[in-house]
Amino acid sequence: MPRGQKSKRLQGADETESLRGDQAAAAAAEECPTSPVSGGSPPSCPAPGPFQEPQGASAAGPPGAGVSFPRSDEGAQSQAEAGPSTSLVAPSPRSAPPDPLTRKAHMLVQFLLGKYKMGECITRAEMLKAVKKKYKEQFSEILRRASEHMELVFGLEVKEVDPGKHFYVLITMLDLPSEGSLTSDRSVPKTGLLTNILAVICLKGNRATEEEVWESLGVLGVYTGRRHAIFGEPKRLIIKDLVQPQYLEYRQVPGSDPPRYEFLWGPRAHAETTKMKVLEITARLKGTVPSAFPKLYEEALRDEERRSLPAKYWAIEVSLVLTKC
């Protein structure tokens, strides 16, 4: 092998190992190798059936490497002109090598998740200590990147509640009435994954194939058949925490032979959130506005109108009763 190619491969391996080291602080026990077991032979392919891994997913990088941290204002104008994509914000995990600030942002994400699990308030001084004080001058950029990652992957907003004392809290963005079912025992919240899947379903005409959903989740570093450093086994997580509680419906595509599968909004998602709310989060993460998605925006408006009809009729009926009193 030419020496230049060998050096390039070694450099890429060092960068990947650095990312793994950052995440091992909070989830080392859950990390698993991305290459086949000893002997070099590839693992046997599972029999056809639901939750199959899309082709090419294994080449996208280590689990837990997560996503890169794009600037929310970049590409907003071009996105509005080109139309929405199936993913929320992030480019491919392989689009750029991780720089020191991105690695520190990953470390800060781990720190924030730890604080969330313990239900503790967060101070700027604690966050700066977690990423090392020598990065004080770059801390604002590190916090921005970490905050975007928390929003995109975990559905948590890092909000400053006391600018004078620099106190921060983590707020769930989807704000479901039964949020506890997705964050039991203050475990890692799954609302980020749920929001992503609900958005993909909307963008795909209210139903999304299994392949389309896994392609979108792959942007977040979540692949079927591969244990994630933070979420664990993705297939089990989606079935147990999203499908079984009826946030999502998972069914065979009617008439498909061989069988193919698709996702739809579940009854619980229809009851506890709206298309407009999901669209607002999607637009915010893309650094644009809901009207940048004209077709989906119009559908969300119609959905809001349908939801308001019973309340309007009830108000009219009450007013008629009152006039007779």
Side-chain angles (χ1 to χ4, degrees), residues 30-183:
E30 293 182 336
E31 191 80 281
C32 70
T34 59
S35 58
V37 293
S38 61
S41 58
S44 58
C45 297
F51 275 105
Q52 291 296 304
E53 182 172 6
Q55 288 185 341
S58 60
V67 329
S68 57
F69 300 94
R71 293 182 180 274
S72 59
D73 56 345
E74 289 179 355
Q77 183 176 356
S78 60
Q79 172 64 43
E81 295 172 353
S85 63
T86 56
S87 61
L88 292 182
V89 169
S92 166
R94 298 182 297 171
S95 60
D99 59 85
L101 297 188
T102 295
R103 289 197 291 268
K104 291 299 178 181
H106 276 293
M107 293 176 64
L108 185 54
V109 165
Q110 298 294 343
F111 171 80
L112 292 172
L113 287 175
K115 284 289 190 179
Y116 177 83
K117 291 178 182 179
M118 292 184 290
E120 295 180 354
C121 192
I122 307 160
T123 66
R124 183 183 181 91
E126 290 175 325
M127 290 190 287
L128 183 58
K129 183 178 180 181
V131 300
K132 306 302 181 186
K133 291 186 177 181
K134 71 176 184 178
Y135 286 91
K136 183 177 181 179
E137 297 297 324
Q138 298 85 14
F139 178 73
S140 294
E141 173 64 15
I142 294 172
L143 177 58
R144 185 193 64 78
R145 298 187 190 189
S147 298
E148 288 187 357
H149 190 75
M150 293 292 290
E151 292 180 357
L152 177 63
V153 181
F154 303 109
L156 292 174
E157 178 186 359
V158 183
K159 187 174 183 64
E160 190 174 17
V161 293
D162 189 338
K165 296 182 179 179
H166 298 296
F167 280 119
Y168 294 78
V169 294
L170 297 173
I171 302 174
T172 54
M173 298 176 64
L174 197 55
D175 192 26
L176 299 173
S178 57
E179 191 78 41
S181 63
L182 294 180
T183 56

Side-chain angles (χ1 to χ4, degrees), residues 247-261:
Y247 286 109
L248 297 174
E249 182 182 349
Y250 177 67
R251 70 181 189 185
Q252 182 177 335
V253 177
S256 60
D257 186 20
R260 295 173 60 246
Y261 296 84

Side-chain angles (χ1 to χ4, degrees), residues 265 270 273-280 296-312:
W265 279 46
H270 281 294
T273 190
T274 67
K275 291 182 179 180
M276 184 62 75
K277 180 65 175 178
V278 171
L279 177 58
E280 287 171 350
L296 184 53
Y297 183 61
E298 291 177 6
E299 184 176 345
L301 287 175
R302 289 194 297 269
D303 181 62
E304 293 288 302
E305 181 66 20
R306 285 193 298 267
R307 287 173 178 269
S308 67
L309 284 177
K312 287 182 178 179

Side-chain angles (χ1 to χ4, degrees), residues 15-24 31 34 60-69 92-94 96 98 102-103 105-106 109-110 149 153 218-223 226-230:
E15 292 169 347
T16 301
E17 189 62 33
S18 176
L19 275 176
R20 288 177 178 168
D22 292 340
Q23 296 190 335
E31 191 80 281
T34 59
V67 329
S68 57
F69 300 94
S92 166
R94 298 182 297 171
T102 295
R103 289 197 291 268
H106 276 293
V109 165
Q110 298 294 343
H149 190 75
V153 181
V219 176
L220 310 183
V222 178
Y223 305 99
R226 178 183 297 175
R227 187 175 181 84
H228 189 272
I230 296 175

